[in-house]
């Protein structure tokens, strides 16, 4: 039986993925960890450890103690926040990954998941239907660390046989845990403000298209990739995954269908330049072929769930 360790279980992805993994592998077989305390639904349903990814020895102790066979390494600083603290963010995003790769190699952990991002692309990348392989010239701390990370996982795969699976996530939208400091996070904030204030001031221009995905689709894709047969996987670094493509004005119209009085204004900040350097849509045909990537949610279906769930949260 596999034993799983999730690093960064209190974050946007971890807080949902951990619970899904516990359903699949059994609560006691999924050890959750984070640098900070996580929600009760995680700490009370299975093992939990406080862990800093920059303290590799302590992570290794936990791996040995629990007999871990698979690690999901989700701890990272997102694009907007990383611009505010470039070097500390580089340490967490890059040194954090290298230490874990080295440990996975040394302790012969069977499989690692590590998220990459559309942030690996840059201004010279084809902007529409961005292919898996193309010019990549990221100009953010976050994007540079993700691209370097992709090369490192490919290196560890080739040189040491470390089996790392990775997805270039588009913007991820969820209601359980709010995202923290990403450029795509307007598409999370907007739903919270719609419910709490009836209006939203967007930090990106109304026509800024970006690739996006609803969290249930992201969780499903992640687990599908981790379960895929190794001999079916043709990408050595990280898979393009597209989901949908929409702009703030599309979200505005989608929310207005449910809440006709909702209003939205625009005050773009430094994140506009980051968004402008990223693709508008992604070609994910290789993931569809290799491991049957598929999506259930479009923008309107997601809007309905986001509004209903956030409303429930504030009614409690
Ligand atoms: N959602 C991330 C960000 O905006 C992109 O991977 O930083």
């Amino acid at each position: 039986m596999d034993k799983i360790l999730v690093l960064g279980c209190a974050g946007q992805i971890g807080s949902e993925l951990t619970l899904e993994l516990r359903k699949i592998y059994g609560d006691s077989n999924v050890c959750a960890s984070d640098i900070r305390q996580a929600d009760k639904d995680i700490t009370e349903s299975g093992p939990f450890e406080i862990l800093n990814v920059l303290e590799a020895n302590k992570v290794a102790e936990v791996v040995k103690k629990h007999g871990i066979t698979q690690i999901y390494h989700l701890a990272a600083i997102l694009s907007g926040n990383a611009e505010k603290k470039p070097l500390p963010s580089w340490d967490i995003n890059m040194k954090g990954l290298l230490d874990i790769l080295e440990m996975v190699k040394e302790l012969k952990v069977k499989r690692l998941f590590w998220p990459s991002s559309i942030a690996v692309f840059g201004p010279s990348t084809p902007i529409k239907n961005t292919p898996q392989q193309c010019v990549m010239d990221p100009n953010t701390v976050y994007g540079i660390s993700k691209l370097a990370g992709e090369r490192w996982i490919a290196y560890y795969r080739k040189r040491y046989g470390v089996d790392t699976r990775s997805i270039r996530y588009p913007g991820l939208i969820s209601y359980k845990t709010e995202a923290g400091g990403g450029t795509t996070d307007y598409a999370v904030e907007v739903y919270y403000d719609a419910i709490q204030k009836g209006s939203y001031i967007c930090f990106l221009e109304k026509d800024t298209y970006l690739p996006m995905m609803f969290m249930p689709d992201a969780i499903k894709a992640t687990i599908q990739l981790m379960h895929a047969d190794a001999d079916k996987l043709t990408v050595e670094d990280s898979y393009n995954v597209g989901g949908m493509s929409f702009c703030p004005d599309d979200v505005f119209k989608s929310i207005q269908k449910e809440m006709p009085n909702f209003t939205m204004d625009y005050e773009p900040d430094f994140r506009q330049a980051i968004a402008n350097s990223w693709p508008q849509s992604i070609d994910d045909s290789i993931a569809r072929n290799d491991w049957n990537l598929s999506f259930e949610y479009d923008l309107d279906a997601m809007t309905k769930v986001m509004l209903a769930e956030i409303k429930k949260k504030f009614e409690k």
Side-chain angles (χ1 to χ4, degrees):
M1 178 45 119
D2 275 308
K3 294 253 183 177
I4 317 283
L5 173 64
V6 180
L7 300 165
C9 73
Q12 192 197 11
I13 302 172
S15 61
E16 300 202 31
L17 183 62
T18 303
L19 298 177
E20 203 51 41
L21 291 169
R22 284 188 175 156
K23 278 191 210 154
I24 298 171
Y25 293 93
D27 289 343
S28 60
N29 291 321
V30 179
C31 178
S33 75
D34 204 285
I35 195 164
R36 60 194 156 108
Q37 196 61 28
D39 278 352
K40 279 193 179 144
D41 59 353
I42 287 186
T43 56
E44 289 178 359
S45 64
F48 172 76
E49 305 268 356
I50 294 281
L51 273 184
N52 177 350
V53 289
L54 293 178
E55 293 175 349
N57 289 345
K58 292 197 180 141
V59 180
E61 275 168 30
V62 169
V63 168
K64 287 185 214 155
K65 181 169 106 189
H66 292 275
I68 297 297
T69 60
Q70 294 191 24
I71 299 177
Y72 289 73
H73 171 24
L74 308 173
I77 306 294
L78 290 183
S79 60
N81 281 351
E83 290 308 296
K84 294 177 193 158
K85 290 188 175 174
L87 297 186
S89 303
W90 173 261
D91 268 357
I92 293 171
N93 292 357
M94 204 69 259
K95 187 170 182 312
L97 171 64
L98 284 172
D99 286 353
I100 299 297
L101 278 170
E102 195 55 24
M103 185 198 69
V104 164
K105 178 190 99 184
E106 290 300 319
L107 299 183
K108 300 189 170 45
V109 175
K110 201 173 85 188
R111 195 163 293 165
L112 171 67
F113 179 83
W114 175 78
S116 186
S117 160
I118 51 165
V120 293
F121 300 114
S124 310
T125 296
I127 200 161
K128 288 196 177 141
N129 221 15
T130 303
Q132 176 73 36
Q133 294 282 8
C134 55
V135 174
M136 290 169 163
D137 54 352
N139 55 14
T140 61
V141 174
Y142 179 70
I144 297 168
S145 70
K146 288 295 183 190
L147 184 54
E150 285 193 10
R151 297 321 307 154
W152 276 113
I153 62 174
Y155 182 90
Y156 269 74
R157 175 189 307 288
K158 197 166 179 204
R159 176 133 191 222
Y160 306 116
V162 170
D163 181 7
T164 307
R165 313 271 170 109
S166 179
I167 286 175
R168 290 174 183 152
Y169 288 123
L172 295 180
I173 296 145
S174 63
Y175 55 81
K176 184 165 185 282
T177 302
E178 286 185 58
T183 301
T184 55
D185 290 345
Y186 86 83
V188 178
E189 291 175 8
V190 64
Y191 291 105
Y192 276 86
D193 279 14
I195 295 296
Q196 288 179 288
K197 303 181 193 158
S199 64
Y200 178 60
I201 299 176
C202 184
F203 60 77
L204 296 183
E205 299 275 12
K206 68 193 287 186
D207 57 355
T208 308
Y209 279 88
L210 286 167
M212 298 277 189
M213 181 160 55
F214 194 28
M215 190 61 85
D217 281 333
I219 300 289
K220 191 180 79 179
T222 305
I223 292 171
Q224 260 176 309
L225 175 58
M226 283 297 271
H227 285 173
D229 288 341
D231 57 10
K232 300 240 163 65
L233 302 181
T234 60
V235 167
E236 61 164 13
D237 42 27
S238 184
Y239 277 92
N240 269 13
V241 162
M244 356 175 192
S245 169
F246 57 71
C247 66
D249 193 45
D250 294 333
V251 184
F252 168 64
K253 288 177 180 143
S254 181
I255 294 177
Q256 265 207 336
K257 287 182 199 164
E258 307 296 318
M259 300 176 60
N261 294 329
F262 174 65
T263 59
M264 190 145 141
D265 289 306
Y266 297 88
E267 285 178 14
D269 67 14
F270 72 101
R271 287 168 283 192
Q272 184 64 47
I274 300 179
N276 291 346
S277 75
W278 289 354
Q280 295 182 353
S281 59
I282 298 285
D283 174 7
D284 53 22
S285 50
I286 301 181
R288 288 173 193 268
N289 277 334
D290 284 6
W291 45 276
N292 297 325
L293 171 72
S294 66
F295 304 98
E296 273 172 42
Y297 289 88
D298 61 13
L299 175 56
D300 285 343
M302 179 182 81
T303 294
K304 284 197 177 89
V305 178
M306 286 294 285
L307 292 175
E309 292 293 335
I310 293 169
K311 203 165 164 206
K312 267 195 235 160
K313 250 183 161 172
F314 290 105
E315 278 167 359
K316 271 182 194 162

